[in-house]
Amino acid sequence: MPLVRAENPDAVGRPEPDDGSAVVAEWNEAALREFVSNEHLDVRRCTLPGLPLRKSAYPPELHGLVDAAVATARSHPDEYIRHRVEHQVGD
């Protein structure tokens, strides 16, 4: 099999390797937004266990969304979601 090489391996447009912490932060923000905005029970049940519910896990501009997620979960009609949020928040 012939060896394939890039025409210009030092090109400026080459993507940087993914920074794991940046990917995790983006995922957490997307999951937080989805949990709050998507009322589908299965989405919320699947999203909640992996969702950090500490404000320190997010930038200050998302702290209100963390509060909204916790309030939503605590007042949710589903028993599992109500139980799970208390387990995660620890109050």
Side-chain angles (χ1 to χ4, degrees):
M1 209 163 178
L3 184 61
V4 177
R5 295 182 190 265
E7 286 183 26
N8 185 0
D10 296 322
V12 176
R14 190 170 70 192
E16 292 292 318
D18 288 334
D19 176 7
S21 62
V23 172
V24 170
E26 288 178 28
W27 174 260
N28 287 344
E29 179 179 345
L32 180 66
R33 290 184 184 283
E34 192 65 23
F35 180 84
V36 171
S37 66
N38 192 328
E39 295 183 9
H40 193 279
L41 179 61
D42 289 337
V43 170
R44 285 185 168 167
R45 282 183 171 184
C46 291
T47 306
L48 187 58
L51 193 60
L53 293 175
R54 301 174 318 282
K55 289 181 183 177
S56 63
Y58 300 94
E61 60 270 15
L62 295 177
H63 290 183
L65 202 55
V66 173
D67 289 338
V70 171
T72 297
R74 283 183 167 160
S75 64
H76 201 276
D78 184 66
E79 183 179 352
Y80 170 77
I81 292 176
R82 290 192 314 271
H83 170 77
R84 183 70 207 183
V85 71
E86 296 309 326
H87 175 73
Q88 286 177 236
V89 174
D91 289 348

